[in-house]
């Protein structure tokens, strides 16, 4: 049985949340935060620069990802530590997860685990049940070992990134609903055999998890639990460009701590930050852009209070500590609208694939109308 130290992630998140609220008042260089982190924080870096670094590394690697896609994935991970990327093989899903890891951690970091979920070998073994047991055991151990390191008190300022690559829907359901669970207080725990619910180790807040699903390789759907807990981004086209990964320059000092401070996953803190930027009145008036709203009405779908809270968290995370938008740094309301549509699409679009609506088909195929599908640019 692996031993997990008492996680430091929850405490770090609480302190980070306080720092974020002060950062909004004092700007990019809050005096107390500057004093406490003077040895490990490069104050010239913020989230805008982090995203620019991702875009530059993508260009160097030959990845034709638009800035919109990069920001959508980035904000999804800020909002939720679990993100699922779906699409046909070769669409660039794994490359996007690797790009994020290389941006924060540098090239070849042991803090990035790429766990191959490709079960194409399964049919060649002649014993599917035996192979499945071995496969689950091996990948789960790799995952647990990384989580154990992330939970160590000495890793409080480190980021750990996991990508379960080439998964089938059933495999994603296993990891996200069988191995992982969310308790009533919103903490993510591991369901280890023989361990009581209260003693299940908490997944540290410094771990970000991405699963890529090759939708053309299998049947089945993601479970409702997965879709409620994870951000979902669908890749609509195949990437034909060859990727050239070059060892990037070392990540700037303090970039990992910047990422750990950036995320707002507490509803109250997120609401406070968002209302400081756009005000409660403007937020209460906000809804889907008209083309997306029309498609949802035709499908008989509405924004429930729970969904609107999920959208609020995402929109709040689409702004940096200074209140500048990550999708649009110069237009607060436009950034809000883009982020609003992104999250609604992520939460609902998977339920609309079979709706015979010409408007919906248009929205899903036009990158300018539905921002989460704006891959090329």
């Amino acid at each position: 049985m692996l031993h997990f130290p008492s996680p430091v992630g929850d405490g770090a998140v609480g302190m980070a949340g306080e720092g974020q609220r002060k950062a909004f008042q004092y700007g990019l260089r809050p005096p107390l935060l500057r004093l406490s982190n003077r040895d490990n924080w490069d104050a010239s870096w913020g989230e805008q620069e982090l995203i620019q670094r991702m875009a530059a590394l993508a260009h160097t690697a030959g990845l034709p990802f638009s800035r919109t896609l990069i920001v959508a994935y980035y904000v999804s991970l800020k909002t939720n530590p679990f993100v699922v990327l779906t699409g046909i093989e070769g669409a660039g899903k794994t490359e996007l997860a690797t790009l994020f890891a290389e941006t924060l951690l540098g090239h070849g970091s042991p803090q990035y685990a790429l766990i191959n979920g490709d079960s194409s070998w399964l049919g060649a073994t002649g014993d599917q049940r035996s192979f499945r047991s071995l496969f689950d055991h091996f990948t789960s151990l790799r995952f647990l070992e990384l989580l154990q390191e992330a939970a160590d008190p000495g890793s409080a300022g480190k980021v750990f990134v996991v990508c379960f690559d080439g998964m089938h829907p059933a495999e994603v359901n296993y990891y996200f609903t069988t191995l992982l669970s969310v308790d009533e207080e919103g903490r993510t725990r591991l369901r280890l055999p023989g361990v009581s619910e209260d003693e299940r180790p908490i997944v540290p807040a410094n771990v970000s998890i991405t699963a890529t699903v090759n939708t053309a390789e299998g049947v089945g759907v993601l479970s409702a639990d997965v879709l409620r807990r994870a951000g979902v981004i669908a890749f609509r086209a195949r990437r034909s460009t060859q990727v050239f990964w070059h060892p990037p320059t070392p990540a700037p000092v303090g970039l990992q701590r910047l990422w750990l401070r950036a995320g707002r996953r507490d509803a109250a803190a997120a609401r406070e930050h968002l209302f400081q930027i756009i005000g409660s009145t403007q937020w209460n008036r906000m809804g889907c852009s008209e083309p997306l709203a029309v498609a949802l009405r035709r499908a008989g779908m509405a924004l429930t209070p729970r969904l609107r809270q999920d959208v609020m968290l995402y929109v709040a995370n689409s702004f940096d500590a200074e209140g500048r938008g990550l999708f649009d740094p110069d237009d607060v309301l436009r950034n809000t609208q883009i982020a609003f549509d992104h999250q609604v699409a992520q939460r609902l679009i998977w339920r609309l694939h079979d709706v015979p609506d010409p408007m919906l088909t248009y929205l899903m195929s036009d990158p300018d109308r539905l921002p989460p599908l704006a891959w090329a640019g």
Side-chain angles (χ1 to χ4, degrees):
M1 179 69 66
L2 291 173
H3 171 67
F4 281 72
S6 298
V8 297
D10 288 348
V13 170
M15 295 173 61
E18 293 300 318
Q20 287 160 352
R21 289 191 284 273
K22 293 180 176 63
F24 185 81
Q25 300 171 15
Y26 295 113
L28 189 61
R29 298 176 177 84
L32 295 179
L33 192 59
R34 182 172 66 242
L35 178 64
S36 63
N37 292 294
R38 63 183 182 271
D39 294 329
N40 54 27
W41 185 41
D42 184 345
S44 66
W45 278 80
E47 289 188 81
Q48 304 288 346
E49 289 75 21
L50 197 161
I51 289 173
Q52 290 174 8
R53 175 177 167 84
M54 286 185 68
L57 291 179
H59 177 74
T60 301
L63 294 168
F65 293 148
S66 69
R67 187 179 185 279
T68 300
L69 173 60
I70 290 173
V71 173
Y73 177 61
Y74 176 92
V75 175
S76 293
L77 281 176
K78 275 185 67 178
T79 306
N80 193 314
F82 311 130
V83 173
V84 179
L85 306 179
T86 70
I88 60 176
E89 185 176 5
K93 304 181 296 298
T94 308
E95 287 79 4
L96 182 59
T98 301
L99 172 66
F100 174 76
E102 297 235 342
T103 300
L104 283 179
L105 310 176
H107 183 69
S109 171
Q111 293 167 228
Y112 174 47
L114 180 61
I115 300 176
N116 191 345
D118 183 4
S119 58
S120 59
W121 298 333
L122 188 146
T125 64
D127 185 352
Q128 295 189 6
R129 181 176 301 178
S130 175
F131 179 84
R132 171 62 58 204
S133 177
L134 177 63
F135 173 80
D136 286 346
H137 180 70
F138 175 73
T139 55
S140 294
L141 280 180
R142 290 190 61 191
F143 183 40
L144 292 172
E145 287 170 355
L146 182 137
L147 292 181
Q148 184 180 32
E149 182 179 355
D152 188 279
S155 298
K158 297 180 180 180
V159 174
F160 293 82
V161 181
V162 181
C163 178
F164 293 111
D165 185 34
M167 308 288 286
H168 280 225
E171 294 170 327
V172 175
N173 293 340
Y174 167 75
Y175 282 109
F176 283 73
T177 62
T178 302
L179 185 62
L180 302 177
S181 64
V182 179
D183 63 19
E184 294 181 355
E185 299 181 15
R187 296 173 299 187
T188 304
R189 293 181 177 272
L190 290 176
R191 288 175 171 156
L192 299 181
V195 178
S196 66
E197 184 174 356
D198 293 340
E199 296 178 344
R200 289 171 179 169
I202 298 173
V203 177
N206 56 347
V207 176
S208 297
I209 302 172
T210 298
T212 73
V213 179
N214 295 329
T215 55
E217 291 188 356
V219 296
V221 297
L222 298 176
S223 73
D225 286 340
V226 171
L227 294 166
R228 280 196 299 266
R229 298 173 185 173
V232 180
I233 299 179
F235 280 60
R236 307 297 297 177
R238 178 184 296 272
R239 295 258 71 88
S240 58
T241 303
Q242 186 174 359
V243 179
F244 301 94
W245 287 111
H246 298 284
T249 57
V253 174
L255 201 58
Q256 295 182 54
R257 290 185 180 272
L258 168 66
W259 167 255
L260 294 176
R261 289 192 302 269
R264 296 174 181 84
R265 293 169 184 166
D266 175 75
R271 184 181 299 107
E272 178 184 348
H273 181 68
L274 183 60
F275 285 3
Q276 285 181 321
I277 299 170
I278 68 172
S280 59
T281 300
Q282 186 64 52
W283 170 250
N284 291 333
R285 294 174 178 173
M286 185 62 59
C288 299
S289 60
E290 186 58 22
L292 183 56
V294 168
L296 294 178
R297 284 197 296 269
R298 290 180 178 178
M301 303 181 69
L303 299 183
T304 64
R306 174 63 182 271
L307 176 58
R308 191 170 180 87
Q309 177 171 300
D310 291 341
V311 173
M312 182 270 295
L313 285 169
Y314 187 92
V315 174
N317 278 301
S318 74
F319 290 95
D320 63 18
E322 291 188 303
R324 296 184 67 202
L326 299 178
F327 288 103
D328 189 331
D330 302 317
D331 189 327
V332 167
L333 292 182
R334 184 171 183 272
N335 184 85
T336 301
Q337 185 66 71
I338 293 173
F340 197 103
D341 283 355
H342 265 258
Q343 185 63 0
V344 171
Q346 284 188 21
R347 293 296 177 183
L348 297 182
I349 205 67
W350 62 273
R351 297 169 58 182
L352 302 177
H353 283 284
D354 297 326
V355 176
D357 188 329
M359 173 61 74
L360 180 60
T361 301
Y362 169 67
L363 290 172
M364 293 179 62
S365 61
D366 189 313
D368 295 323
R369 289 294 182 181
L370 195 60
L373 306 184
W375 310 139

